[in-house]
Amino acid sequence: MSENEPSLPFQDVKTKESHFLRKKDLYEYTTPDNVYDIELFTNQDGTCYAIGIPREGEQLVVYGTNMLPNAQKALAALIQKIDRQGFDRFEPPTE
């Protein structure tokens, strides 16, 4: 590869059979009650999932999504889940 040639995106990196390369992006979602650290994982095939953890609270609560077709859908699904379940510092989230 020459100096002027751009590097390939991670989707084009070849891996061994049964090995995986994922990209992880970090986000912060702020609500009136808490701040959530969000990690978005993108697979080489473009599918994504996201997890979110509130910074404050007495109990560890982890919000997560299923594997979804793209980053926008994974982030939107996670935000909807956090907003739907809410977070009260004194009560665990309800299902």
Side-chain angles (χ1 to χ4, degrees), residues 1-8:
M1 183 181 304
S2 71
E3 275 184 37
N4 295 333
E5 189 176 4
S7 60
L8 295 173

Side-chain angles (χ1 to χ4, degrees), residues 1-77:
M1 183 181 304
S2 71
E3 275 184 37
N4 295 333
E5 189 176 4
S7 60
L8 295 173
F10 87 103
Q11 286 100 344
D12 293 335
V13 174
K14 301 296 182 210
T15 61
K16 292 181 180 180
E17 183 86 23
S18 76
H19 291 208
F20 299 95
L21 179 63
R22 287 187 182 94
K23 182 172 88 169
K24 179 169 83 169
D25 293 311
L26 303 176
Y27 296 88
E28 189 177 278
Y29 180 53
T30 303
T31 69
D33 298 322
N34 213 331
V35 175
Y36 297 81
D37 291 314
I38 294 177
E39 295 180 348
L40 172 69
F41 297 89
T42 305
N43 296 312
Q44 285 184 295
D45 66 1
T47 59
C48 298
Y49 65 95
I51 61 170
I53 301 171
R55 288 190 186 164
E56 295 184 26
E58 294 182 19
Q59 296 181 355
L60 176 64
V61 179
V62 178
Y63 298 91
T65 69
N66 293 328
M67 195 70 65
L68 294 166
N70 61 52
Q72 186 275 333
K73 289 182 189 277
L75 286 171

